[in-house]
Amino acid sequence: MPILLTVLSVSLITTTLAVLVVISDRFLNNYGECQLDINDGDRVLTVTGGSSLLSSLALNKIFIPSACGGKATCGLCKVKLASESGPVLPTEEPYLTDEEMAEGIRLSCQLKVKENLTLFIPEELFRVQQFKATVTKITQQTHDIMEYRLSLVDPSEIEFKAGQYMQIDSKPYGSIRESVNRAYSIASLPSDNNGIELIVRLVPGGVCTTYMHEHLKEGDSVTIRGPFGDFYLHDGADELIFIAGGSGLAPIKSMVFDILEKKLDKKMTFFFGAVTKKDLYYVDLFTELAEKHDNFHYVPALSGPEEFDDWQGEVGLVTDVVDRYVQDAANMQGYLCGSPGMINACIKVLVKLGLSEDRIYFDKF
Amino acid sequence: MGQGMEVSPIVILFAAIFTSNMVLANFLGMCSFISVSNEYKTASGLGKAVTLVMVVTTVLNWLVYRWIVLPLGLEYLRFIIFIVVIAATVQIIEMVLDRYLPDLYIKLGIFLPLITVNCAILGISLFMVIRDYGFFQTLFFGIGSGLGWWLAISALAAIREKIAKNKLPYGLEGPAISFIITGIIALAFIGFSGIFIIQ
């Protein structure tokens, strides 16, 4: 009897409180219908107030890039507001510079929609969609790099520019209880629009890369979003330098193949930096491509080849190799993808070779 | 025990701030006291939020205890009941502030969820039961304990800010020096005893 009374009273009290919280949420958190005016009236959305701008936009199929899922830890979901949106919250401060605050930029995951808002969203984000996809093929490329072929199920077609990236949601595994999302560049061609290829390098301790390498199997379905990013071919030069390291090869592969497929009149040199021969991949593919096309050169470089590698190619850091190959870069464009350390070093070399910084495009990860 | 009815609420108020300070005499609510006391501004914000939540939850818990727990003979469940009442109240306070006092919400908002797990809040509710306080005694006890906690964390944060640039032996940096400072402040607060006596 006392046990019953205990259970009953605890359940009753907690239920009452839960009901109270729900009721207050209903009344206090009810800001009615709010209008979101996007890009000077280009799109006007009517949303129910009370939730974050990020999730309100996502409900209307506008996906602002976000890697943390609304916890204010990645700082990616910045949105520019034209209307008054209240003061910047302490949770946003670390991610916004003073200039950004002055311009009215906010983290959309922290900003609650309570009134009509006027905001600006870059046009290309409207093309972002959420896809259901199936893993059709997993290929081991090197000891720590895998290639994934995903077939799009719903929607079944994608439109993107070579060089852009997608976000993939991981599922909980082992001691990881949460789903996270991470960004990976598309390695396949825009013309191949029923699926995408991603190249993922295993980062020791990385939540999503471990999930992809150890838990994702052929036939699994995944949720992806995209395309994101402004790392794609820009007009203004006939001679292009591509530099990549590790899985940074992915967007470069897409761009090079896209340019060759469209028969654009560009001269391209692709420098790929690795440590030893076991870190190289797609060598045959690019070597063949270089043999077939006069306007494409492929220069793989090893910074520390093992003796048994029997390496005949370039030796040295990729920056040194670029320095040796290129005399005057002034009229070229540089496209770099790799680790921040590698990219910063490459920018220095390219600037030294006469290339101005505004002609260098990069994707750091 | 059981003499609560005789003490004046005003005495309880001052005692709770000074001689029986929640942190300095009872060492409750230490986790946030140590971890959120780097900066005076933030510490003071947390102090205000704690005071607000403390007053509201202590009074609510008094009502729940007198009208529900005692009549049903559920005293042994008071820990669970108090903590769920606190959790729900904090949620609701957060929503009310967000709706009607957005400025205050922006200042206190990020601290509110943190306060649910502040043991000083639960401690107050349990003390008020043990000491058999009446309604006004409970109300003033809540106000006093909140103000006392605010005073203590503001004092610690102000001192930590002052000594932030001083060189400390490696092992004494961070929480270690905070504990020493807390100890010294506590010693100073003992000096108040004799002025007000609680219990």
Side-chain angles (χ1 to χ4, degrees):
Chain A
M1 196 51 198
I3 299 177
L4 208 65
L5 184 67
T6 310
V7 175
L8 210 69
S9 41
V10 170
S11 333
L12 262 179
I13 291 174
T14 38
T15 318
T16 319
L17 290 169
V19 169
L20 265 177
V21 171
V22 172
I23 292 175
S24 358
D25 186 56
R26 197 59 180 275
F27 285 100
L28 295 170
N29 223 353
N30 179 1
Y31 293 91
E33 297 208 318
C34 301
Q35 301 241 313
L36 301 178
D37 177 330
I38 303 168
N39 297 356
D40 287 327
D42 254 10
R43 288 179 187 217
V44 178
L45 306 174
T46 308
V47 300
T48 313
S51 27
S52 74
L53 182 58
L54 180 70
S55 50
S56 303
L57 288 172
L59 275 180
N60 285 286
K61 304 219 180 302
I62 297 176
F63 300 100
I64 310 286
S66 156
C68 68
K71 297 197 195 72
T73 54
C74 72
L76 287 177
C77 61
K78 290 176 186 170
V79 161
K80 187 174 172 187
L81 281 119
S83 56
E84 182 54 44
S85 58
V88 173
L89 297 177
T91 40
E92 298 170 75
E93 272 167 15
Y95 303 98
L96 298 174
T97 62
D98 290 344
E99 294 93 63
E100 285 178 328
M101 287 189 209
E103 274 178 51
I105 291 177
R106 301 283 307 262
L107 292 191
S108 59
C109 70
Q110 297 299 300
L111 179 64
K112 204 153 134 182
V113 181
K114 295 182 189 175
E115 60 208 335
N116 295 348
L117 294 172
T118 312
L119 53 148
F120 292 100
I121 296 174
E123 203 59 44
E124 62 253 29
L125 284 183
F126 293 135
R127 249 176 284 138
V128 172
Q129 284 178 293
Q130 181 158 299
F131 298 86
K132 290 233 168 319
T134 314
V135 182
T136 41
K137 200 169 171 215
I138 301 179
T139 324
Q140 180 110 32
Q141 290 296 356
T142 75
H143 61 105
D144 63 353
I145 292 177
M146 300 268 226
E147 184 199 291
Y148 298 81
R149 168 85 200 176
L150 310 178
S151 287
L152 303 177
V153 179
D154 178 33
S156 62
E157 277 186 17
I158 183 170
E159 192 188 318
F160 66 95
K161 291 183 183 173
Q164 288 192 300
Y165 67 85
M166 298 292 287
Q167 275 183 351
I168 182 163
D169 291 345
S170 76
K171 296 195 175 85
Y173 61 88
S175 60
I176 310 288
R177 301 252 170 85
E178 290 183 329
S179 163
V180 297
N181 61 63
R182 291 289 184 271
Y184 300 105
S185 294
I186 307 172
S188 49
L189 274 160
S191 58
D192 169 17
N193 60 1
N194 293 312
I196 55 161
E197 279 164 31
L198 304 176
I199 294 173
V200 180
R201 179 161 168 245
L202 181 67
V203 180
V207 175
C208 199
T209 62
T210 310
Y211 162 76
M212 303 258 316
H213 272 242
E214 286 167 19
H215 299 272
L216 196 61
K217 298 278 172 291
E218 286 177 8
D220 287 356
S221 50
V222 287
T223 305
I224 53 177
R225 270 176 307 280
F228 294 109
D230 51 9
F231 184 65
Y232 41 71
L233 187 68
H234 294 257
D235 292 336
D238 296 331
E239 220 172 312
L240 315 175
I241 300 181
F242 296 99
I243 311 176
S247 55
L249 181 142
I252 310 279
K253 175 177 173 245
S254 179
M255 289 163 99
V256 168
F257 276 77
D258 188 42
I259 292 169
L260 291 174
E261 187 186 64
K262 289 180 179 154
K263 300 198 161 63
L264 299 181
D265 189 18
K266 309 259 184 199
K267 206 174 155 233
M268 300 176 274
T269 313
F270 173 32
F271 297 91
F272 183 71
V275 182
T276 64
K277 211 168 175 176
K278 75 176 173 46
D279 301 310
L280 285 177
Y281 60 116
Y282 284 144
V283 179
D284 295 343
L285 181 80
F286 282 111
T287 314
E288 251 175 59
L289 203 64
E291 280 166 8
K292 259 200 267 175
H293 300 270
D294 288 339
N295 59 340
F296 175 68
H297 294 279
Y298 170 56
V299 186
L302 295 185
S303 62
E306 305 275 2
E307 265 174 42
F308 55 77
D309 276 351
D310 190 24
W311 179 245
Q312 310 289 328
E314 291 293 333
V315 177
L317 286 173
V318 74
T319 44
D320 302 335
V321 178
V322 172
D323 202 5
R324 281 205 294 274
Y325 263 75
V326 183
Q327 266 79 47
D328 176 16
N331 293 318
M332 301 181 174
Q333 271 179 344
Y335 292 88
L336 324 175
C337 189
S339 65
M342 186 209 98
I343 287 184
N344 294 339
C346 288
I347 292 177
K348 256 190 205 160
V349 169
L350 291 176
V351 169
K352 197 195 92 183
L353 293 168
L355 191 56
S356 69
E357 276 197 52
D358 58 345
R359 294 170 76 88
I360 304 176
Y361 305 91
F362 53 82
D363 192 358
K364 280 187 203 179
F365 54 81
Chain B
M1 307 275 157
Q3 316 138 335
M5 299 310 270
E6 295 148 32
V7 189
S8 138
I10 298 297
V11 172
I12 292 180
L13 173 76
F14 283 100
I17 300 177
F18 298 109
T19 48
S20 304
N21 188 294
M22 237 340 119
V23 205
L24 301 172
N26 295 305
F27 281 79
L28 282 174
M30 289 305 284
C31 357
S32 37
F33 181 72
I34 296 296
S35 59
V36 195
S37 56
N38 298 324
E39 247 183 78
Y40 174 75
K41 215 179 116 195
T42 338
S44 176
L46 178 64
K48 284 178 212 163
V50 165
T51 311
L52 174 71
V53 173
M54 222 175 233
V55 175
V56 178
T57 57
T58 330
V59 169
L60 275 181
N61 275 336
W62 187 86
L63 297 174
V64 169
Y65 191 73
R66 283 298 151 105
W67 292 350
I68 299 171
V69 177
L70 273 185
L72 290 176
L74 298 172
E75 287 94 328
Y76 59 98
L77 283 180
R78 58 176 190 263
F79 279 79
I80 296 180
I81 293 174
F82 285 168
I83 207 78
V84 291
V85 169
I86 292 169
T89 314
V90 170
Q91 289 258 314
I92 295 172
I93 291 182
E94 205 181 337
M95 287 186 251
V96 173
L97 287 187
D98 192 12
R99 180 82 207 227
Y100 298 108
L101 301 164
D103 290 342
L104 191 65
Y105 175 75
I106 283 153
K107 287 195 190 100
L108 303 185
I110 49 165
F111 300 120
L112 285 171
L114 200 73
I115 291 170
T116 313
V117 290
N118 186 327
C119 30
I121 307 271
L122 179 63
I124 298 275
S125 291
L126 295 170
F127 277 138
M128 128 214 122
V129 168
I130 293 170
R131 294 176 189 165
D132 201 12
Y133 281 159
F135 181 78
F136 286 104
Q137 288 169 317
T138 302
L139 175 65
F140 281 84
F141 184 46
I143 298 174
S145 302
L147 292 177
W149 202 90
W150 181 10
L151 176 67
I153 196 170
S154 305
L156 176 65
I159 295 172
R160 282 183 69 175
E161 235 176 46
K162 267 258 186 277
I163 63 164
K165 291 210 174 71
N166 294 24
K167 271 217 170 100
L168 288 173
Y170 179 67
L172 280 184
E173 279 167 15
I177 192 69
S178 306
F179 274 107
I180 294 175
I181 298 170
T182 311
I184 297 171
I185 304 178
L187 279 177
F189 269 60
I190 286 180
F192 289 116
S193 50
I195 307 177
F196 317 104
I197 309 236
I198 202 167
Q199 281 190 352

